[in-house]
Amino acid sequence: IIEVKCPYDSHLSIHLRTNEAQTKYQPMAEELRRKKKKNVFQYSFVLGVCGTWEPDNSHLFKHMKFDDNAIEMIRMRCAIHNI
C-alpha cells in the first residue's frame, strides 16, 4: 500500500502526514494480510511542496529493488520539478 502526499514543507507537517497515512491504512493492511495470507507493506511517499524528501521515501524505493543511484536521481528530479 503506497500513499502519496505532498504537504507544506515543514518538518511537523511532513511528520504528521506520514503518521496519518500509517494510521489510516493499517486496518486495510491487516485485513489483506489476514484474507490473502500474503506480506503487505505499507509506505507513505511524502514529498514536500518545495521538494523536501522524507527519508522513508528511500526505504520505499529500496524495498522495490532500486539502487542508490536510481533513488538519488528520483529524489533530484522530484526536487527540481517541485521548485
Side-chain angles (χ1 to χ4, degrees), residues 15-49:
H15 182 71
L16 287 173
R17 296 300 174 255
T18 301
N19 288 341
E20 181 181 273
Q22 293 295 321
T23 302
K24 180 179 177 181
Y25 292 106
Q26 187 63 32
M28 180 190 297
E30 289 174 9
E31 182 74 8
L32 287 169
R33 285 183 192 106
R34 189 178 59 78
K35 282 188 173 181
K36 302 293 182 184
K37 306 285 191 244
K38 302 274 184 182
N39 290 335
V40 177
F41 301 95
Q42 192 176 347
Y43 289 98
S44 296
F45 180 79
V46 181
L47 186 68
V49 293

Side-chain angles (χ1 to χ4, degrees), residues 3 8 16 26 30 33 40 44 53-54 68 74 78-79:
E3 181 175 59
Y8 290 106
L16 287 173
Q26 187 63 32
E30 289 174 9
R33 285 183 192 106
V40 177
S44 296
W53 181 267
E54 180 68 15
D68 289 338
I74 293 167
C78 288

